[in-house]
Amino acid sequence: MGAISEFIRHHYRHFNSAALVDAADAYAGLVDAGGAMLVTLAGAMSTAELGLSLAEMIRRGKVHAICCTGANLEEDLFNLVAHEQYLRIPGYRDLTAAEEESLAARGLNRVTDTCIPEEEAMRRVAGIVLQEWRAADRTGRRRFPHDFLYRALRSGAFASDYQIDPSESWLVAACEADLPLFVPGWEDSTLGNTYAAHCIDGTVKHTGTVRSGIEYMIDFVKWYEAVSREAPVGFFQIGGGIAGDFPICAVPLLEQDLGRRDVRKWGYFCQISDSTTSYGSYSGAVPNEKITWGKLSAATPRFVIESDATIVAPLIFARVLDW
């Protein structure tokens, strides 16, 4: 084991820290035995630069698909091309409304302690991706949201703008591996809003040039059915929301809606969340609840780590990578 893994093994013995070790060990055991792992990304994990560890997880074959929000898809790219223009504000809790307006006037969009620069990040990326949208629009070629970013990265359109080592970008690693990505609710993102605006003003003629969430679901179910037929598939959920709720439904969809037999349940489940167990909360629901919905079984290894994902996820990845 590497130094980080040894530290975790020695010091993390109880409560949430013990759950971290157990979840990491089970994650490593699943993929080392030939299983596949889906990682879901909610919140602002890309702005938190999770790519520093997630990119290596992808390169080392420890992640086999990702389901993420539109924000996480694009914000890794924003950081890749505009990192030097980002602004960190450690004392963000003390900002007044007037100071927030001052940030807005400077084109700085705040995510907790980190401000994303509007022009250098969002508009720069949108300008390049617009060319991909328009080219597809002219030819009638429909693609998923992530496919447009993959195409732009592979064309070298962003290469001259890189402001971090591209090896630290999870999207670059995913693109290089042609990793399956699923981005439900993509329209709830900066680029999704931009695409809608271009459809409204007529720059893009056909709203269906970007493929839909229903098509993502169909694609994901096909992926799960094919992969799970050969090996167990794990579910590693960071945060809550649509990134996790969307793919977990694949099993009951296959069993209950399509009437498939012998559908393999998820072979592992772990959620990192700071949403405490509460009434009616999906993000705060204990994994056992998913058994009643046909998503997990009583035999599925289940873990919940109630903590900050920006702290926990890199530690789990370090353990899986033997760092």
Side-chain angles (χ1 to χ4, degrees), residues 24 35 63 78 105 131 174 186 234 248 251 257 294 299 322:
V63 175
F78 293 164
Q131 303 311 309
W186 170 78
I248 199 75
V251 173
D257 299 317
D322 286 330

Side-chain angles (χ1 to χ4, degrees), residues 246-314:
F246 177 91
I248 199 75
C249 298
V251 173
L253 189 159
L254 284 163
E255 284 189 329
Q256 300 170 24
D257 299 317
L258 288 172
R260 300 278 204 269
R261 295 184 177 181
D262 301 320
V263 177
R264 192 195 293 260
K265 296 288 198 293
W266 291 95
Y268 164 101
F269 179 86
C270 176
Q271 180 176 4
I272 307 169
S273 176
D274 58 6
S275 178
T276 55
T277 303
S278 58
Y279 302 106
S281 166
Y282 290 122
S283 298
V286 296
N288 289 11
E289 184 175 292
K290 294 176 173 60
I291 296 173
T292 71
W293 290 86
K295 300 166 183 176
L296 307 178
S297 75
T300 305
R302 302 181 299 279
F303 308 92
V304 175
I305 306 165
E306 293 179 318
S307 188
D308 185 332
T310 64
I311 299 169
V312 171

Side-chain angles (χ1 to χ4, degrees), residues 38-86:
L38 170 77
V39 171
T40 78
L41 301 177
M45 297 307 296
S46 288
T47 292
E49 297 189 74
L50 188 64
L52 289 164
S53 54
L54 180 56
E56 185 64 13
M57 288 282 285
I58 294 169
R59 284 190 292 270
R60 297 263 295 272
K62 307 298 186 181
V63 175
H64 301 85
I66 288 175
C67 183
C68 69
T69 60
N72 274 296
L73 179 72
E74 65 192 12
E75 287 176 12
D76 184 84
L77 187 52
F78 293 164
N79 181 63
L80 178 65
V81 302
H83 180 80
E84 294 173 8
Q85 284 75 45
Y86 276 56

Side-chain angles (χ1 to χ4, degrees), residues 125 161 167 189 195 282 300 304:
V125 168
D161 294 326
S167 70
S189 66
Y195 178 76
Y282 290 122
T300 305
V304 175

Side-chain angles (χ1 to χ4, degrees), residues 63-225:
V63 175
H64 301 85
I66 288 175
C67 183
C68 69
T69 60
N72 274 296
L73 179 72
E74 65 192 12
E75 287 176 12
D76 184 84
L77 187 52
F78 293 164
N79 181 63
L80 178 65
V81 302
H83 180 80
E84 294 173 8
Q85 284 75 45
Y86 276 56
L87 177 66
R88 182 168 177 266
I89 304 176
Y92 68 92
R93 291 178 178 84
D94 301 322
L95 290 172
T96 65
E99 288 170 327
E100 302 277 23
E101 285 194 332
S102 177
L103 290 172
R106 294 165 58 190
L108 293 169
N109 299 263
R110 186 170 68 80
V111 180
T112 312
D113 69 347
T114 302
C115 295
I116 304 173
E118 181 86 24
E119 291 299 322
E120 294 86 351
M122 300 173 183
R123 299 307 160 201
R124 180 183 296 175
V125 168
I128 291 174
V129 177
L130 174 60
Q131 303 311 309
E132 294 290 342
W133 291 335
R134 296 184 71 180
D137 190 54
R138 288 192 297 270
T139 61
R141 181 67 183 269
R142 304 177 66 244
R143 296 188 175 90
F144 285 118
H146 74 276
D147 287 325
F148 288 102
L149 300 192
Y150 274 7
R151 285 177 61 84
L153 284 167
R154 288 166 180 158
S155 74
F158 294 111
S160 63
D161 294 326
Y162 289 171
Q163 293 190 3
I164 64 169
D165 186 333
S167 70
E168 297 174 352
S169 161
W170 75 258
L171 186 62
V172 168
C175 181
E176 291 173 347
D178 200 21
L179 194 76
L181 297 187
F182 306 94
V183 192
W186 170 78
E187 53 273 17
D188 178 23
S189 66
T190 297
L191 289 178
N193 289 180
T194 302
Y195 178 76
H198 285 307
C199 290
I200 292 168
D201 70 16
T203 305
V204 176
K205 305 298 182 185
H206 305 97
T207 58
T209 295
V210 175
R211 297 176 67 184
S212 71
I214 290 296
E215 291 173 285
Y216 259 135
M217 178 61 83
I218 293 168
D219 211 45
F220 179 73
V221 168
K222 290 178 178 178
W223 176 86
Y224 182 86
E225 189 172 32

